[in-house]
Amino acid sequence: MARFAALAVCAAALLLAVAVGGAAAQGVGSVITRSVYASMLPNRDNSLCPARGFYTYDAFIAAANTFPGFGTTGSADDIKRDLAAFFGQTSHETTGTRGTRGAADQFQWGYCFKEEISKATSPPYYGRGPIQLTGRSNYDLAGRAIGKDLVSNPDLVSTDAVVSFRTAMWFWMTAQGNKPSSHNVALRRWTPTAADTAAGRVPGYGVITNIINGGLECGMGRNDANVDRIGYYTRYCSMLGTSTGGNLDCYTQRNFAS
Protein backbone atom coordinates (compact mmCIF):
# COMPACT_ATOMS: atom_id res chain seq x y z
CA MET A 1 0.00 0.00 0.00
CA ALA A 2 2.84 2.36 0.84
CA ARG A 3 4.29 1.76 -2.61
CA PHE A 4 0.97 2.57 -4.31
CA ALA A 5 0.59 5.69 -2.16
CA ALA A 6 4.05 6.86 -3.16
CA LEU A 7 3.24 6.27 -6.82
CA ALA A 8 0.02 8.23 -6.45
CA VAL A 9 1.90 11.15 -4.90
CA CYS A 10 4.46 11.08 -7.72
CA ALA A 11 1.71 11.00 -10.34
CA ALA A 12 -0.07 13.93 -8.71
CA ALA A 13 3.17 15.90 -8.57
CA LEU A 14 3.82 15.17 -12.24
CA LEU A 15 0.34 16.31 -13.23
CA LEU A 16 0.80 19.49 -11.23
CA ALA A 17 4.14 20.17 -12.88
CA VAL A 18 2.61 19.67 -16.32
CA ALA A 19 -0.29 21.96 -15.45
CA VAL A 20 2.01 24.68 -14.14
CA GLY A 21 4.29 24.36 -17.16
CA GLY A 22 1.32 24.58 -19.49
CA ALA A 23 -0.02 27.66 -17.74
CA ALA A 24 3.37 29.32 -17.93
CA ALA A 25 3.53 28.65 -21.66
CA GLN A 26 0.22 30.37 -22.38
CA GLY A 27 -0.11 33.92 -23.72
CA VAL A 28 2.78 36.00 -24.97
CA GLY A 29 5.33 33.63 -23.49
CA SER A 30 4.17 30.83 -25.78
CA VAL A 31 5.30 32.87 -28.80
CA ILE A 32 8.08 35.01 -27.38
CA THR A 33 9.89 32.40 -25.34
CA ARG A 34 13.02 33.27 -23.41
CA SER A 35 15.22 31.87 -26.19
CA VAL A 36 13.27 33.67 -28.93
CA TYR A 37 13.57 36.95 -26.99
CA ALA A 38 17.32 36.46 -26.70
CA SER A 39 17.61 35.72 -30.42
CA MET A 40 15.53 38.74 -31.39
CA LEU A 41 17.57 41.10 -29.21
CA PRO A 42 21.08 39.60 -29.20
CA ASN A 43 22.85 42.83 -28.27
CA ARG A 44 20.52 44.26 -25.65
CA ASP A 45 23.05 43.45 -22.91
CA ASN A 46 26.11 44.30 -24.96
CA SER A 47 28.67 46.37 -23.04
CA LEU A 48 28.31 49.06 -25.72
CA CYS A 49 24.62 49.53 -24.88
CA PRO A 50 23.57 51.99 -22.14
CA ALA A 51 20.48 49.85 -21.42
CA ARG A 52 22.45 46.65 -20.80
CA GLY A 53 20.82 44.58 -18.10
CA PHE A 54 17.60 46.63 -18.14
CA TYR A 55 15.24 45.05 -20.67
CA THR A 56 14.95 41.60 -19.13
CA TYR A 57 12.67 38.87 -20.44
CA ASP A 58 11.00 38.56 -17.05
CA ALA A 59 10.16 42.28 -17.04
CA PHE A 60 8.65 41.94 -20.52
CA ILE A 61 6.45 39.02 -19.49
CA ALA A 62 5.41 40.68 -16.21
CA ALA A 63 4.35 43.80 -18.11
CA ALA A 64 2.54 41.81 -20.81
CA ASN A 65 0.54 39.99 -18.16
CA THR A 66 -1.04 43.33 -17.17
CA PHE A 67 -2.40 43.80 -20.72
CA PRO A 68 -4.47 40.65 -21.39
CA GLY A 69 -5.06 41.53 -25.04
CA PHE A 70 -1.41 42.16 -25.83
CA GLY A 71 0.05 39.36 -27.94
CA THR A 72 -2.96 37.12 -27.31
CA THR A 73 -5.63 38.46 -29.68
CA GLY A 74 -6.74 36.87 -32.93
CA SER A 75 -5.38 33.90 -34.84
CA ALA A 76 -1.88 32.49 -34.31
CA ASP A 77 -0.76 34.46 -37.36
CA ASP A 78 -2.36 37.67 -36.05
CA ILE A 79 -0.54 37.28 -32.75
CA LYS A 80 2.83 36.73 -34.42
CA ARG A 81 2.35 39.75 -36.69
CA ASP A 82 1.28 41.96 -33.78
CA LEU A 83 4.33 41.00 -31.73
CA ALA A 84 6.68 41.32 -34.71
CA ALA A 85 5.30 44.82 -35.32
CA PHE A 86 5.65 45.79 -31.66
CA PHE A 87 9.25 44.63 -31.51
CA GLY A 88 9.98 46.09 -34.95
CA GLN A 89 8.91 49.57 -33.90
CA THR A 90 10.39 49.48 -30.40
CA SER A 91 13.66 48.04 -31.67
CA HIS A 92 14.02 50.99 -34.01
CA GLU A 93 13.20 53.39 -31.19
CA THR A 94 15.96 51.91 -29.03
CA THR A 95 18.43 50.80 -31.68
CA GLY A 96 22.13 50.94 -30.92
CA THR A 97 24.57 53.05 -32.86
CA ARG A 98 26.57 49.90 -33.61
CA GLY A 99 23.81 48.75 -35.94
CA THR A 100 25.11 50.86 -38.80
CA ARG A 101 23.12 51.32 -42.00
CA GLY A 102 23.77 48.49 -44.40
CA ALA A 103 25.78 46.41 -41.92
CA ALA A 104 25.05 42.70 -41.64
CA ASP A 105 23.93 43.19 -38.04
CA GLN A 106 21.95 46.40 -38.60
CA PHE A 107 18.72 44.87 -37.30
CA GLN A 108 20.22 43.15 -34.28
CA TRP A 109 20.76 46.18 -32.04
CA GLY A 110 17.27 46.78 -30.69
CA TYR A 111 16.80 47.65 -27.01
CA CYS A 112 20.26 49.15 -26.71
CA PHE A 113 19.01 52.45 -25.23
CA LYS A 114 16.44 53.14 -22.53
CA GLU A 115 16.30 56.92 -22.81
CA GLU A 116 16.82 59.62 -25.41
CA ILE A 117 20.50 60.34 -25.86
CA SER A 118 20.23 64.14 -26.02
CA LYS A 119 17.34 64.36 -23.53
CA ALA A 120 16.32 67.46 -25.47
CA THR A 121 12.75 66.62 -26.46
CA SER A 122 10.20 68.00 -23.98
CA PRO A 123 12.42 67.71 -20.87
CA PRO A 124 11.91 66.28 -18.32
CA TYR A 125 9.46 64.23 -20.42
CA TYR A 126 11.99 63.21 -23.06
CA GLY A 127 11.94 59.80 -24.70
CA ARG A 128 12.20 56.82 -22.38
CA GLY A 129 11.54 53.09 -22.59
CA PRO A 130 10.91 50.75 -25.54
CA ILE A 131 8.51 53.14 -27.28
CA GLN A 132 10.50 56.23 -26.20
CA LEU A 133 7.49 57.72 -24.43
CA THR A 134 7.69 61.48 -24.98
CA GLY A 135 5.80 64.57 -23.81
CA ARG A 136 4.00 65.45 -20.59
CA SER A 137 0.61 64.41 -21.94
CA ASN A 138 1.80 60.92 -22.79
CA TYR A 139 3.47 60.53 -19.40
CA ASP A 140 0.26 61.67 -17.73
CA LEU A 141 -2.03 59.37 -19.74
CA ALA A 142 0.28 56.37 -19.50
CA GLY A 143 0.73 56.90 -15.77
CA ARG A 144 -3.02 57.07 -15.16
CA ALA A 145 -3.52 53.90 -17.17
CA ILE A 146 -0.93 51.86 -15.27
CA GLY A 147 -1.45 53.43 -11.85
CA LYS A 148 1.86 55.29 -11.59
CA ASP A 149 2.53 59.02 -11.17
CA LEU A 150 4.83 59.47 -14.15
CA VAL A 151 4.35 63.22 -14.25
CA SER A 152 6.01 63.61 -10.86
CA ASN A 153 8.46 60.78 -11.45
CA PRO A 154 9.16 60.34 -15.18
CA ASP A 155 12.43 58.55 -14.39
CA LEU A 156 10.40 55.47 -13.42
CA VAL A 157 10.17 54.75 -17.15
CA SER A 158 13.94 54.35 -17.35
CA THR A 159 14.60 52.83 -13.92
CA ASP A 160 11.80 50.28 -13.51
CA ALA A 161 11.82 47.84 -16.44
CA VAL A 162 8.27 46.57 -15.85
CA VAL A 163 6.93 50.14 -15.80
CA SER A 164 8.99 50.85 -18.91
CA PHE A 165 7.48 47.95 -20.84
CA ARG A 166 4.00 48.79 -19.55
CA THR A 167 4.19 52.32 -20.97
CA ALA A 168 5.15 50.89 -24.36
CA MET A 169 2.31 48.40 -24.24
CA TRP A 170 -0.13 51.09 -23.15
CA PHE A 171 0.87 53.21 -26.14
CA TRP A 172 0.60 50.18 -28.44
CA MET A 173 -2.86 49.22 -27.26
CA THR A 174 -4.42 52.69 -27.02
CA ALA A 175 -6.09 54.79 -29.72
CA GLN A 176 -5.54 58.54 -29.31
CA GLY A 177 -7.40 61.32 -31.06
CA ASN A 178 -7.75 60.48 -34.75
CA LYS A 179 -5.10 57.78 -34.48
CA PRO A 180 -6.09 54.12 -34.21
CA SER A 181 -4.18 51.86 -31.84
CA SER A 182 -1.08 50.26 -33.31
CA HIS A 183 -2.45 46.98 -31.97
CA ASN A 184 -5.61 47.18 -34.09
CA VAL A 185 -3.63 48.15 -37.16
CA ALA A 186 -1.30 45.18 -36.71
CA LEU A 187 -4.32 42.88 -36.33
CA ARG A 188 -5.84 44.34 -39.53
CA ARG A 189 -8.85 45.55 -37.57
CA TRP A 190 -8.51 49.19 -38.54
CA THR A 191 -10.74 50.64 -41.25
CA PRO A 192 -9.50 53.99 -42.63
CA THR A 193 -11.92 56.92 -42.55
CA ALA A 194 -12.51 59.08 -45.61
CA ALA A 195 -9.96 61.53 -44.20
CA ASP A 196 -7.40 58.73 -43.81
CA THR A 197 -7.94 57.59 -47.38
CA ALA A 198 -7.55 61.13 -48.69
CA ALA A 199 -4.29 61.40 -46.73
CA GLY A 200 -2.97 58.16 -48.22
CA ARG A 201 -3.11 56.35 -44.89
CA VAL A 202 -3.78 52.70 -45.69
CA PRO A 203 -3.82 49.55 -43.52
CA GLY A 204 -0.36 48.10 -42.97
CA TYR A 205 2.81 48.47 -40.93
CA GLY A 206 3.50 51.89 -42.47
CA VAL A 207 0.56 53.51 -40.71
CA ILE A 208 1.95 52.31 -37.36
CA THR A 209 5.10 54.31 -38.13
CA ASN A 210 2.77 57.22 -38.86
CA ILE A 211 1.06 56.78 -35.48
CA ILE A 212 4.40 56.78 -33.65
CA ASN A 213 6.44 59.40 -35.51
CA GLY A 214 4.54 60.53 -38.58
CA GLY A 215 5.46 64.18 -38.25
CA LEU A 216 9.14 63.41 -38.79
CA GLU A 217 9.07 60.33 -41.01
CA CYS A 218 5.94 60.27 -43.17
CA GLY A 219 4.98 62.01 -46.40
CA MET A 220 8.57 62.81 -47.31
CA GLY A 221 9.56 59.93 -49.54
CA ARG A 222 12.01 57.16 -48.76
CA ASN A 223 14.02 57.77 -45.59
CA ASP A 224 16.42 55.80 -43.40
CA ALA A 225 14.13 55.72 -40.36
CA ASN A 226 11.36 53.97 -42.32
CA VAL A 227 13.87 51.54 -43.81
CA ASP A 228 15.17 50.73 -40.33
CA ARG A 229 11.69 50.12 -38.90
CA ILE A 230 10.79 47.89 -41.85
CA GLY A 231 14.07 45.98 -41.57
CA TYR A 232 13.47 45.09 -37.94
CA TYR A 233 9.86 44.13 -38.61
CA THR A 234 10.78 41.95 -41.58
CA ARG A 235 13.44 40.15 -39.53
CA TYR A 236 11.03 39.44 -36.69
CA CYS A 237 8.25 38.26 -39.01
CA SER A 238 10.72 35.81 -40.51
CA MET A 239 11.81 34.62 -37.07
CA LEU A 240 8.24 34.11 -35.90
CA GLY A 241 7.08 32.51 -39.13
CA THR A 242 4.54 35.01 -40.39
CA SER A 243 4.15 37.34 -43.35
CA THR A 244 4.70 41.09 -43.21
CA GLY A 245 1.64 42.05 -45.20
CA GLY A 246 1.72 45.04 -47.54
CA ASN A 247 2.02 48.82 -47.18
CA LEU A 248 5.12 48.70 -44.99
CA ASP A 249 6.19 52.34 -45.33
CA CYS A 250 4.56 55.74 -44.93
CA TYR A 251 6.56 57.52 -47.63
CA THR A 252 3.47 59.03 -49.27
CA GLN A 253 1.17 59.23 -46.22
CA ARG A 254 0.32 62.56 -44.64
CA ASN A 255 0.79 62.47 -40.89
CA PHE A 256 -2.23 62.35 -38.59
CA ALA A 257 -1.71 65.92 -37.40
CA SER A 258 -1.88 67.41 -40.90
Side-chain angles (χ1 to χ4, degrees):
M1 291 294 292
R3 182 176 174 228
F4 285 119
L7 288 172
V9 169
C10 288
L14 179 60
L15 288 171
L16 178 61
V18 169
V20 170
Q26 297 303 307
V28 175
S30 66
V31 179
I32 308 298
T33 63
R34 192 177 297 274
S35 61
V36 167
Y37 186 80
S39 296
M40 292 171 74
L41 307 168
N43 289 301
R44 75 186 190 283
D45 293 331
N46 192 293
S47 61
L48 296 170
C49 291
R52 60 187 174 276
F54 184 68
Y55 294 116
T56 67
Y57 177 74
D58 290 339
F60 167 69
I61 293 298
N65 286 341
T66 68
F67 287 90
F70 177 80
T72 62
T73 304
S75 68
D77 206 48
D78 289 334
I79 289 169
K80 290 175 182 178
R81 190 180 303 106
D82 186 26
L83 290 169
F86 175 81
F87 277 102
Q89 292 290 349
T90 54
S91 289
H92 168 77
E93 292 292 330
T94 57
T95 193
T97 54
R98 297 290 295 180
T100 53
R101 309 271 179 216
D105 66 348
Q106 177 178 346
F107 307 119
Q108 297 180 24
W109 287 87
Y111 288 49
C112 190
F113 291 91
K114 60 179 181 175
E115 54 190 5
E116 185 180 335
I117 298 173
S118 68
K119 301 181 180 179
T121 309
S122 304
Y125 306 109
Y126 51 79
R128 293 179 178 88
I131 203 71
Q132 289 293 281
L133 191 74
T134 304
R136 189 184 191 282
S137 176
N138 275 326
Y139 275 79
D140 182 30
L141 292 171
R144 290 174 185 272
I146 68 173
K148 301 289 183 181
D149 184 359
L150 300 181
V151 171
S152 297
N153 191 5
D155 284 332
L156 268 180
V157 185
S158 56
T159 57
D160 184 319
V162 176
V163 168
S164 196
F165 273 116
R166 290 183 73 195
T167 63
M169 292 169 187
W170 164 80
F171 187 95
W172 192 258
M173 302 291 288
T174 306
Q176 294 192 59
N178 65 334
K179 298 179 180 181
S181 71
S182 299
H183 175 68
N184 275 346
V185 174
L187 293 178
R188 300 176 178 178
R189 295 183 175 184
W190 171 62
T191 300
T193 64
D196 290 317
T197 301
R201 295 189 291 266
V202 292
Y205 184 73
V207 88
I208 299 178
T209 297
N210 202 332
I211 291 167
I212 294 171
N213 206 27
L216 296 178
E217 298 179 27
C218 299
M220 54 190 68
R222 184 183 176 90
N223 58 82
D224 287 342
N226 260 249
V227 171
D228 198 60
R229 293 180 192 273
I230 294 167
Y232 273 112
Y233 174 57
T234 301
R235 176 172 178 260
Y236 296 147
C237 281
S238 177
M239 292 180 72
L240 296 179
T242 190
S243 62
T244 61
N247 303 317
L248 301 185
D249 63 74
C250 62
Y251 298 154
T252 59
Q253 297 180 18
R254 293 203 300 274
N255 73 72
F256 281 94
S258 64

